[in-house]
């Protein structure tokens, strides 16, 4: 309820064998770095066998490790060494869909319509005289139609299958008992290996309306991904909550049977500024946490930040639910770039969709100051703080990544109209040494990195930031190590309600003030009292809070 969890995107974190792809041994080699950040747990994005069409989020086998990353023995060693440092391990599970390379789907392609094999997915006959039109008008979140037609075993055009993401990710039919049992077995398998829980991907799209009726029509000027997020027939279906109750029952029983184990699940559910909807996922019989994405998606406006935190905090805290705050992940443009955009302080910069962004010039120095301020603000909130790898280096989004090196299916499904998420997945710079992919490859690399790195990537290297005053790495370490000053049970008491530039709250004997303007601001004496500065993300003196900074007073 008060932890720091660090997300690892394994392909891009650290490469121990020099093949240009991150791996589990690379993660082990950086555990001391994570310990220096006072991290309580790591969440590892999917590391299961996968053809990597969506880089792990298309799972071909839920019971093994992708050979590019290592094997089960190396994974067991990661668990062991993490525990030695007090770091727990969460995995990332994808329940909505699997890979088209999964044995089940290959069996379905070989089977006939109406078969048991096809019943694990959403296979349907097409519309039109020859079935040449998709079964309905649903569009994919990644762009384009949500249906793909198959060729039947006899070589004729056949049924269509549903994929609300990429065609390489067929949706699983959760009304099928075999699907439910498969995931029961999967959870138990990894719990038995010592995994401490799961981040659960895309829970909002699990479950579909009976009959699969048409959704909204595409409006002029809107994208297919925007349309998909408004399709009520595969968004936030009530039936899905019965599946999550089944999971929670399994977990609770597992903890009873294994005294001392504490398992946690956190769901990925974008609820678009509706905390009451988010609350449904963190009912006592479902997920332990669900990400509060609204803060990550908010513009750089004091009133927006305060109202976003206040509404989610009030609804979830009053219900006794645990909060999970985050500012970055593998699906969103990095905060340094978001906050540095010329329109970051305009409400129009808020799209409500982390895959879509307004184009605007970026001031990286400004974005860095603002990102320092926001992490200090967010770390002070009650709840768990989830970080994304590279946050602590102040990495910006690489917006100019060459199109011929892009990998994200969003880029291809939208024919390049949307650049996708590769820019936040560039391999990390651990050292200012281009010959080793900036330290990403722990030995002389045998090939190029799976995604290219910009020539200036070494400017953000961990080795250059060590011991440097004011570096992002230094700010993160100070913030995360000083976070213990807050009583985990202390609630938020808001201050300065009418301020257009300051967002301020008190927790116990600590006053947190973020100045979202460009000018220095003085905290009123009646609020500050005799408190003194214990942390500032910019040079400050006394009651002054510099522009685009956060100060903790005690």
């Amino acid at each position: 309820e008060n932890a720091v969890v660090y997300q690892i995107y394994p392909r891009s974190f650290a490469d121990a064998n020099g093949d240009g792809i991150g791996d589990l041994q690379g993660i082990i080699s950086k555990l001391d770095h994570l310990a220096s950040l006072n991290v309580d747990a790591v969440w590892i994005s999917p590391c299961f066998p996968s053809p990597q069409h969506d880089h792990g989020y298309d799972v071909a086998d839920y019971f093994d490790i992708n050979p590019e990353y290592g094997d089960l023995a190396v994974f067991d060693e990661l668990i062991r060494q993490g525990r030695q440092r007090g770091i727990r391990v969460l995995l990332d599970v994808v329940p909505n869909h699997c890979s088209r390379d999964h044995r089940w789907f290959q069996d379905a392609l070989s089977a006939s319509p109406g078969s048991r094999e096809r019943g694990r997915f959403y296979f349907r006959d097409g519309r039109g005289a020859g079935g040449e039109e998709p079964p309905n008008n649903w569009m994919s979140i990644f762009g384009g139609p949500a249906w793909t037609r198959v060729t039947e075993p006899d070589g004729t055009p056949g049924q269509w299958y549903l994929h609300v993401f990429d065609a390489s990710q067929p949706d699983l039919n959760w009304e099928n008992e075999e699907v439910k049992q498969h995931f029961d077995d999967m959870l138990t398998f990894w719990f038995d290996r010592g995994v401490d829980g799961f981040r659960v991907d895309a829970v909002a799209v699990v479950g579909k309306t009976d009959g699969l009726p048409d959704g909204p029509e595409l409006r002029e000027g809107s994208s297919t991904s925007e349309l998909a997020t408004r399709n009520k027939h595969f968004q936030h279906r009530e039936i899905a909550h019965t599946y999550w109750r089944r999971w929670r029952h399994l977990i609770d029983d597992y903890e009873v049977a294994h005294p001392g184990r504490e398992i946690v699940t956190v769901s990925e559910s974008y609820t678009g500024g509706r905390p009451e909807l988010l609350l449904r996922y963190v009912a006592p019989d479902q997920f332990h946490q669900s990400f509060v994405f609204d803060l990550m998606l908010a513009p750089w406006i004091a009133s927006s930040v305060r109202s976003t935190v206040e509404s989610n905090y009030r609804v979830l805290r009053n219900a006794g639910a645990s909060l999970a705050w985050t500012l970055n992940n593998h699906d969103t443009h990095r905060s340094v770039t978001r906050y540095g955009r010329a329109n970051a302080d305009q409400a129009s910069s808020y799209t409500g969709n982390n895959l879509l962004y307004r184009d605007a010039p970026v001031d990286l120095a400004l974005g860095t100051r603002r990102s320092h301020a926001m992490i200090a603000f967010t770390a002070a909130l009650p709840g768990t703080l989830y970080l994304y790898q590279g946050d602590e280096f102040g990495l910006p989004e690489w917006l100019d990544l060459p199109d011929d090196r892009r990998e994200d299916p969003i880029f291809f499904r939208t024919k390049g109209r949307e650049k996708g998420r590769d820019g936040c997945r560039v391999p990390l710079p651990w050292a200012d040494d281009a010959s080793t992919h900036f330290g990403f490859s722990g030995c002389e690399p045998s090939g190029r990195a799976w995604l290219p790195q910009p020539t200036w990537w070494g400017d953000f290297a961990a080795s250059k930031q060590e011991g440097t005053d004011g570096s992002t790495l230094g700010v993160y370490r100070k913030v995360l190590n000083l976070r213990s000053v807050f009583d985990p049970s202390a609630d938020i008491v808001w201050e300065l309600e009418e301020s257009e530039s300051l967002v301020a709250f008190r927790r116990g004997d600590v006053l947190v003030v973020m100045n979202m303007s460009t000018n220095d601001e003085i905290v009123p004496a009646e609020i500050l009292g005799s408190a003194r500065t214990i942390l500032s993300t910019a040079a400050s003196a006394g009651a002054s809070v510099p522009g685009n900074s956060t100060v903790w007073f005690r």
Side-chain angles (χ1 to χ4, degrees):
E1 295 183 349
N2 199 49
V4 176
V5 182
Y6 185 103
Q7 181 192 355
I8 292 175
Y9 193 77
R11 251 183 131 66
S12 299
F13 185 68
D15 164 29
N17 63 10
D19 65 356
I21 298 171
D23 46 48
L24 297 184
Q25 198 63 52
I27 296 173
I28 292 172
S29 73
K30 302 298 183 184
L31 286 174
D32 287 340
H33 167 79
L34 299 178
S36 77
L37 291 171
N38 206 28
V39 164
D40 298 292
V42 293
W43 144 35
I44 303 175
S45 289
C47 54
F48 314 111
S50 164
Q52 302 296 317
H53 295 298
D54 192 21
H55 296 117
Y57 287 90
D58 50 327
V59 179
D61 182 353
Y62 289 83
F63 296 86
D64 206 348
I65 296 295
N66 185 349
E68 290 179 314
Y69 300 155
D71 54 27
L72 286 170
V74 180
F75 180 81
D76 292 343
E77 180 66 10
L78 171 59
I79 293 277
R80 188 185 71 80
Q81 292 210 27
R83 286 210 170 127
Q84 287 180 348
R85 295 165 176 82
I87 297 175
R88 302 186 186 216
V89 175
L90 310 181
L91 288 184
D92 198 331
V93 63
V94 186
N96 177 70
H97 52 263
C98 64
S99 166
R100 65 186 175 201
D101 287 9
H102 193 284
R103 176 179 56 82
W104 274 4
F105 192 69
Q106 290 301 306
D107 289 347
L109 292 178
S110 301
S112 58
S115 63
R116 168 191 172 191
E117 290 81 2
R118 293 198 174 183
R120 299 163 177 155
F121 302 92
Y122 293 95
F123 277 86
R124 296 293 187 272
D125 293 333
R127 297 193 287 200
E132 67 278 3
E133 297 294 329
N136 63 30
N137 70 346
W138 293 3
M139 303 303 286
S140 161
I141 293 171
F142 281 180
W147 293 92
T148 292
R149 196 175 195 184
V150 304
T151 300
E152 298 295 352
D154 63 2
T156 61
Q159 289 190 304
W160 299 71
Y161 69 90
L162 176 68
H163 50 86
V164 300
F165 291 97
D166 187 55
S168 63
Q169 299 163 302
D171 280 33
L172 290 160
N173 176 12
W174 269 82
E175 295 179 29
N176 184 288
E177 188 60 33
E178 286 186 273
V179 172
K180 298 174 189 175
Q181 186 60 49
H182 170 273
F183 282 95
D184 287 353
D185 296 342
M186 184 277 304
L187 292 172
T188 303
F189 175 85
W190 291 106
F191 294 156
D192 286 347
R193 297 201 86 90
V195 168
D196 297 295
F198 283 91
R199 178 262 193 188
V200 188
D201 181 71
V203 301
V205 299
V206 174
K208 313 296 187 280
T209 298
D210 287 345
L212 309 183
D214 278 348
E217 296 291 339
L218 185 65
R219 296 180 301 192
E220 185 176 355
S222 66
S223 70
T224 56
S225 56
E226 285 179 299
L227 178 69
T229 62
R230 293 188 283 107
N231 190 342
K232 65 181 181 181
H233 298 303
F234 64 75
Q235 293 278 353
H236 305 293
R237 303 302 305 159
E238 186 62 35
I239 186 64
H241 295 281
T242 64
Y243 313 144
W244 314 137
R245 292 186 187 100
R246 175 175 175 139
W247 279 23
R248 184 59 174 265
H249 183 72
L250 181 152
I251 290 169
D252 290 346
D253 284 351
Y254 191 93
E255 289 180 333
V256 170
H258 300 80
R261 292 298 299 278
E262 292 180 305
I263 291 168
V264 65
T265 54
V266 55
S267 77
E268 181 207 31
S269 178
Y270 287 86
T271 54
R274 294 172 289 172
E276 294 81 7
L277 180 57
L278 188 66
L279 184 61
R280 293 170 57 193
Y281 291 94
V282 289
D285 60 352
Q286 295 183 54
F287 295 104
H288 298 84
Q289 293 182 328
S290 192
F291 289 112
V292 180
F293 288 121
D294 295 339
L295 183 58
M296 180 181 79
L297 297 171
W300 189 259
I301 301 173
S303 58
S304 294
V305 169
R306 171 165 172 166
S307 63
T308 294
V309 172
E310 188 172 22
S311 60
N312 283 280
Y313 177 80
R314 180 181 65 252
V315 171
L316 271 69
R317 189 83 161 185
N318 287 350
S322 176
L323 292 109
W325 305 102
T326 189
L327 298 174
N328 289 292
N329 61 38
H330 64 290
D331 285 333
T332 189
H333 283 193
R334 288 188 177 274
S335 58
V336 168
T337 297
R338 297 199 318 267
Y339 297 142
R341 281 197 172 90
N343 60 0
D345 58 357
Q346 301 171 22
S348 61
S349 70
Y350 174 73
T351 66
N353 184 337
N354 65 322
L355 302 181
L356 300 172
Y357 296 92
R358 311 295 186 199
D359 290 330
V362 177
D363 181 338
L364 288 184
L366 175 62
T368 298
R369 291 195 297 274
R370 287 174 169 175
S371 68
H372 290 180
M374 187 58 84
I375 189 59
F377 174 83
T378 308
L381 297 171
T384 295
L385 176 65
Y386 285 79
L387 308 176
Y388 177 51
Q389 64 180 40
D391 285 358
E392 75 274 28
F393 302 153
L395 294 180
E397 187 83 1
W398 189 15
L399 298 172
D400 300 322
L401 194 153
D403 285 353
D404 64 355
R405 292 293 306 276
R406 290 188 180 274
E407 300 264 356
D408 192 345
I410 292 175
F411 176 76
F412 299 103
R413 290 186 64 83
T414 63
K415 296 180 171 57
R417 291 189 304 275
E418 296 177 30
K419 294 298 185 182
R421 303 158 295 172
D422 292 319
C424 68
R425 300 174 176 184
V426 178
L428 296 190
W430 294 98
D432 186 13
D433 177 10
S435 70
T436 61
H437 303 139
F438 297 105
F440 168 66
S441 293
C443 59
E444 192 66 30
S446 58
R448 66 185 187 178
W450 77 278
L451 278 179
Q453 299 160 302
T455 57
W456 41 265
W457 214 223
D459 296 343
F460 297 89
S463 62
K464 293 191 70 170
Q465 298 194 42
E466 285 287 354
T468 303
D469 290 341
S471 71
T472 301
L473 181 57
V475 168
Y476 267 74
R477 282 180 176 155
K478 186 173 183 180
V479 166
L480 299 178
N481 283 286
L482 194 58
R483 194 168 179 255
S484 60
V485 301
F486 295 99
D487 178 353
S489 64
D491 284 324
I492 289 176
V493 178
W494 292 101
E495 305 280 7
L496 306 174
E497 186 170 354
E498 302 302 320
S499 176
E500 294 183 0
S501 56
L502 301 180
V503 185
F505 63 85
R506 193 181 303 277
R507 283 187 65 203
D509 63 352
V510 181
L511 173 68
V512 177
V513 183
M514 180 165 63
N515 180 3
M516 301 186 72
S517 73
T518 58
N519 302 314
D520 292 2
E521 297 280 351
I522 301 295
V523 181
E526 63 270 23
I527 301 298
L528 186 60
S530 60
R532 294 293 180 265
T533 300
I534 60 171
L535 180 145
S536 177
T537 62
S540 63
S544 175
V545 179
N548 296 307
S549 76
T550 294
V551 178
W552 296 359
F553 299 96
R554 193 179 193 185

